[in-house]
């Protein structure tokens, strides 16, 4: 099955390019956001660590009791406080180690020129026994500072110790981490671009080179085509899910199965069988509800891949109605032709007798014709039924079967629904003829009676009857007991029953037969199909 060709519009930007741009933008935005957030967070963490480290160094200096003893001297570049503080600063790689008394006078500093000056930082909280961690802006640069009180041996606070660590080292560590993040993000960006390209290629192969806009146009075009065709179309994927069902198929099926499994979609049993059986039907006639359809199942295969099945249902109900009307017309025509032919033969016979002077023989012949000839119209007022039985009588005679009328036959009114009545009567008679044919002395007896406005039909044949195992299936569409059945057989009884039920009646197997005296007996009843007689019909 080939794809429907539909004119589609080409998008300006292909899907591959759209995916590439989208993934690149997303990964790049994620990378930038991640780097910015990570840099901010890491900077805050490292800065805090530097503040804690500075505070730890300051605590170590304050634990040395010698500084409290040395504070009484004059602060000089060669004083013990300056020398010891510089040793600590060099050993810890700190930016500065400043020891001051409670008045804020510096006793140590990396710059000996400021010894003896007051410190500018407010250390009131430290002089009262607290601790302080801050970021200070010094002339030498920004630093993380930790300040603690300096206590004498008796516990008195005699000064403060402040240690600063240069923030330039924080920035170096942060930029190192940032470069690592950018490098990792660049790898992720490249992988994302490669994945986008691979995804776009796979999507293109899956859609046979069609872009999403083209697929949408194709879908709209196919929906328009499926909605416009008069055939029912049901598509099923390899997993048994109904993927498409047009409006005509929904009308024939009486359900909306799209999106559901075949066996759980509420489909009629004949349709489920058509979709699931191994042999695919091709132009097979079946009955779905009140409709006669021809079904064809097609396998959809592309590049060796099974894409599912498509069931095409063509409604033949209109053709069936036309065929029934044609059958009724043909029955009347055949009856008139047979009567005309028989009338000519009888006239020729009488003319010949009279021409030869056999007057008495001609009189006896006419008397015999008047007393022995059976005319269907004597007891059947409707011309459709009379014509049908005349035609069926000729057809039965050709098959070696005698068609006879039951003694209680009496239809004194015209049919108001002749086509449907002929469908029921004709199918029952045909079924009886097929059952009786092939046996010696074969016969079929039909009894017709009008019960008010209802038509009652009884048909019995001389066949072998209905087998015991088939009595529950004879009304199923497509069922037949004939060994060499062709397509279209096995529909008559089912069609007759559905037709009768439309008129609040039914077709029943009154007697399966097989006793040796007669074959199967079928009875039918149709309500409100006989009009009241306008004139009396005399037997």
């Amino acid at each position: 099955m080939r794809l429907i060709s539909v004119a589609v519009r080409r998008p300006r930007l292909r899907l591959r390019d759209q995916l590439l741009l989208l993934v690149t933008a997303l990964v790049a935005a994620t990378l930038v956001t991640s780097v910015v957030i990570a840099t901010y967070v890491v900077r805050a963490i490292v800065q805090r660590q530097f503040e804690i480290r500075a505070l730890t160094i300051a605590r170590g200096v304050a634990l040395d009791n010698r500084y409290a003893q040395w504070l009484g001297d004059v602060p000089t570049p060669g004083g013990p406080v300056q020398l010891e503080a510089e040793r600590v600063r060099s050993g810890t790689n700190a930016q500065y180690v400043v020891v001051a008394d409670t008045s804020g006078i510096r006793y140590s500093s990396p710059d000996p020129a400021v010894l003896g000056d007051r410190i500018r930082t407010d250390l009131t909280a430290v002089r009262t026994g607290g601790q302080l961690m801050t970021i200070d802006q010094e002339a030498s640069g920004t630093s993380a500072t930790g300040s603690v009180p300096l206590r004498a041996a008796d516990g008195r606070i005699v000064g403060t110790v402040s240690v600063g660590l240069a923030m330039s080292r924080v920035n170096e560590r942060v930029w190192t981490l940032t470069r690592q993040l950018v490098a990792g993000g660049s790898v992720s960006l490249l992988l994302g671009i490669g994945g986008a390209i691979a995804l776009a290629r796979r999507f293109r192969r899956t859609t046979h080179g069609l872009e999403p806009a083209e697929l949408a146009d194709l879908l709209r075009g196919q929906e328009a085509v499926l909605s416009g065709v008069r055939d029912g179309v049901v598509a099923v994927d390899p997993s048994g899910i109904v993927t498409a069902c047009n409006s005509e198929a929904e009308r024939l099926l009486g359900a909306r199965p799209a999106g559901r499994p075949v066996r759980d979609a509420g489909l009629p049993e004949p349709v489920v069988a058509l979709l699931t059986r191994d042999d695919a039907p091709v132009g097979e006639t079946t009955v779905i509800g009140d409709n006669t359809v021809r079904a064809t199942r097609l396998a959809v295969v592309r590049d060796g891949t099974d894409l599912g099945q498509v069931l095409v249902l063509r409604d033949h109900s209109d053709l069936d109605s036309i065929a029934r009307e044609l059958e009724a017309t043909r029955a009347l025509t055949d009856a008139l032709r047979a009567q005309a032919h028989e009338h000519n033969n009888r006239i020729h016979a009488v003319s010949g007798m009279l021409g030869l002077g056999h007057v008495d023989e001609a009189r006896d012949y006419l008397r015999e014709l008047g007393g022995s000839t059976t005319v269907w119209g004597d007891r059947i007022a409707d011309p459709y039924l009379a014509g049908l039985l005349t035609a069926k009588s000729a057809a039965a005679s050709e098959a070696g079967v005698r068609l006879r009328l039951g003694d209680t036959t009496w239809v004194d009114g015209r049919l108001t629904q002749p086509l449907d009545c002929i469908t029921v009567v004709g199918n029952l008679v045909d079924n009886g003829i097929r059952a009786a044919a092939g046996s010696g002395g074969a016969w079929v007896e039909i009894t017709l009676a009008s019960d008010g406005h209802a038509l009652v039909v009884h048909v019995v044949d001389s066949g072998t009857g209905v087998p015991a195992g088939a009595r529950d299936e004879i009304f199923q569409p497509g069922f037949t007991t004939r060994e060499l059945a062709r397509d279209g057989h096995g529909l008559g009884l089912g069609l007759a029953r559905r037709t009768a039920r439309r008129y609040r009646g039914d077709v029943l197997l009154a007697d399966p037969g097989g006793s040796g005296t007669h074959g199967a007996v079928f009875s039918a009843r149709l309500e409100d199909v006989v009009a009241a007689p306008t004139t009396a019909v005399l037997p």
Side-chain angles (χ1 to χ4, degrees):
M1 187 174 183
R2 302 182 62 185
L3 291 175
I4 301 174
S5 298
V6 180
V8 295
R9 54 183 174 86
R10 293 281 178 178
R12 294 182 179 179
L13 194 60
R14 309 291 292 181
L15 176 64
R16 179 177 61 186
D17 301 331
Q18 294 179 14
L19 286 176
L20 183 60
L21 291 176
L22 177 62
V23 172
T24 302
L26 289 176
V27 175
T30 303
L31 173 62
V32 172
T33 304
S34 300
V35 169
V36 171
I37 295 176
T39 301
Y40 177 80
V41 172
V42 170
R43 182 180 180 84
I45 293 174
V46 173
Q47 178 178 305
R48 189 65 176 175
Q49 289 179 346
F50 269 55
E51 291 176 352
I52 294 174
R53 183 182 175 189
L55 185 66
T56 302
I57 296 173
R59 286 176 178 174
V61 173
L63 290 176
D64 191 345
N65 294 327
R66 294 177 301 168
Y67 287 97
Q69 298 173 2
W70 293 335
L71 286 182
D73 300 335
V74 177
T76 59
V81 176
Q82 173 69 5
L83 296 176
E84 187 64 22
E86 285 299 300
R87 186 186 66 79
V88 172
R89 183 181 68 83
S90 300
T92 59
N93 201 20
Q95 185 176 6
Y96 60 83
V97 176
V98 176
V99 179
D101 59 14
T102 55
S103 299
I105 302 300
R106 299 174 186 265
Y107 277 78
S108 66
S109 175
D111 183 9
V114 298
L115 293 177
D117 296 340
R118 293 182 181 275
I119 59 177
R120 293 188 299 270
T121 305
D122 184 9
L123 297 178
T124 303
V126 179
R127 295 188 187 102
T128 58
Q131 297 178 352
L132 182 65
M133 291 186 296
T134 60
I135 301 296
D136 288 339
Q137 295 290 337
E138 301 289 342
S140 58
T142 305
S143 61
T145 303
S147 301
V148 297
L150 178 63
R151 298 178 184 272
D154 57 2
R156 291 181 298 105
I157 297 177
V158 296
T160 60
V161 178
S162 297
V163 177
L165 299 177
M167 289 297 295
S168 58
R169 297 177 60 192
V170 174
N171 296 332
E172 290 177 1
R173 293 191 179 184
V174 171
W175 281 116
T176 300
L177 178 61
T178 301
R179 287 193 296 270
Q180 294 175 351
L181 290 175
V182 171
S186 300
V187 174
S188 300
L189 179 61
L190 294 177
L191 292 176
I193 294 174
I197 295 175
L199 178 63
R201 289 179 177 177
R202 177 177 177 82
F203 186 84
R204 186 174 181 83
R205 288 195 302 268
T206 303
T207 60
H208 303 284
L210 296 176
E211 295 293 315
E214 296 172 329
L215 288 174
D217 291 339
L218 179 62
L219 178 60
R220 284 191 291 267
Q222 289 185 339
E223 286 181 350
V225 172
L226 290 177
S227 299
V229 299
R230 298 192 63 182
D231 292 344
V233 179
V234 181
V236 180
D237 66 10
S239 62
I241 304 297
V242 179
T243 57
C245 183
N246 65 354
S247 56
E248 177 64 10
E250 291 178 354
R251 183 188 69 83
L252 293 173
L253 302 177
R256 292 186 175 182
R260 293 186 289 174
V262 171
R263 298 188 182 276
D264 300 329
L267 298 175
E269 286 300 325
V271 178
V272 175
L274 292 173
L275 287 170
T276 56
R277 75 188 198 192
D278 294 335
D279 58 314
V282 179
E284 181 175 317
T285 302
T286 187
V287 177
I288 302 175
D290 294 332
N291 302 302
T292 302
V293 301
R294 291 182 69 86
T296 300
R297 195 179 78 196
L298 304 174
V300 183
V301 180
R302 177 174 288 273
D303 299 331
T305 303
D306 181 16
L307 301 180
Q309 306 284 334
V310 173
L311 181 66
V312 181
L313 303 173
R314 178 164 296 177
D315 189 3
H316 277 212
S317 299
D318 293 340
L319 295 178
D320 184 62
S321 298
I322 294 174
R324 286 187 284 149
E325 185 173 357
L326 177 61
E327 182 180 359
T329 304
R330 184 177 297 164
L332 293 175
T333 304
D334 292 342
L336 292 175
R337 185 182 297 112
Q339 290 179 2
H341 180 73
E342 187 66 21
H343 177 72
N344 288 334
N345 289 337
R346 292 169 181 175
I347 292 297
H348 290 161
V350 172
S351 177
M353 290 180 186
L354 294 177
L356 296 174
H358 301 300
V359 178
D360 294 336
E361 287 80 356
R363 184 183 297 110
D364 294 338
Y365 178 64
L366 291 174
R367 185 181 301 110
E368 182 180 355
L369 289 177
S372 61
T373 302
T374 300
V375 180
W376 300 103
D378 288 347
R379 288 182 285 173
I380 301 176
D382 184 80
Y384 285 93
L385 286 177
L388 175 69
L389 294 179
T390 301
K392 294 299 182 184
S393 179
S397 179
E398 292 177 358
V401 179
R402 183 166 61 93
L403 179 62
R404 66 192 188 197
L405 200 61
D407 295 337
T408 58
T409 295
W410 182 257
V411 180
D412 57 353
R414 295 290 187 95
L415 297 179
T416 59
Q417 302 292 335
L419 296 183
D420 290 330
C421 292
I422 285 177
T423 296
V424 176
V425 175
N427 278 300
L428 292 180
V429 172
D430 288 342
N431 185 73
I433 293 174
R434 286 193 296 268
S439 60
W443 54 266
V444 173
E445 181 177 292
I446 178 170
T447 302
L448 300 169
S450 55
D451 183 8
H453 294 288
L455 177 65
V456 180
V457 185
H458 290 278
V459 177
V460 58
D461 58 68
S462 61
T464 58
V466 179
R471 294 172 186 177
D472 296 332
E473 302 178 5
I474 56 175
F475 292 102
Q476 295 297 324
F479 177 81
T480 178
T481 57
R482 305 182 68 184
E483 295 181 358
L484 300 177
R486 303 188 305 274
D487 183 31
H489 284 285
L491 302 176
L493 289 177
L495 179 60
R497 167 172 276 187
R498 284 189 300 276
T499 303
R501 287 179 174 177
R502 285 206 300 268
Y503 295 96
R504 296 184 294 112
D506 206 348
V507 176
L508 303 174
L509 177 62
D511 187 347
S515 61
T517 58
H518 60 77
V521 179
F522 288 90
S523 64
R525 184 182 180 91
L526 292 82
E527 299 288 346
D528 299 325
V529 295
V530 180
T534 55
T535 57
V537 179
L538 298 178

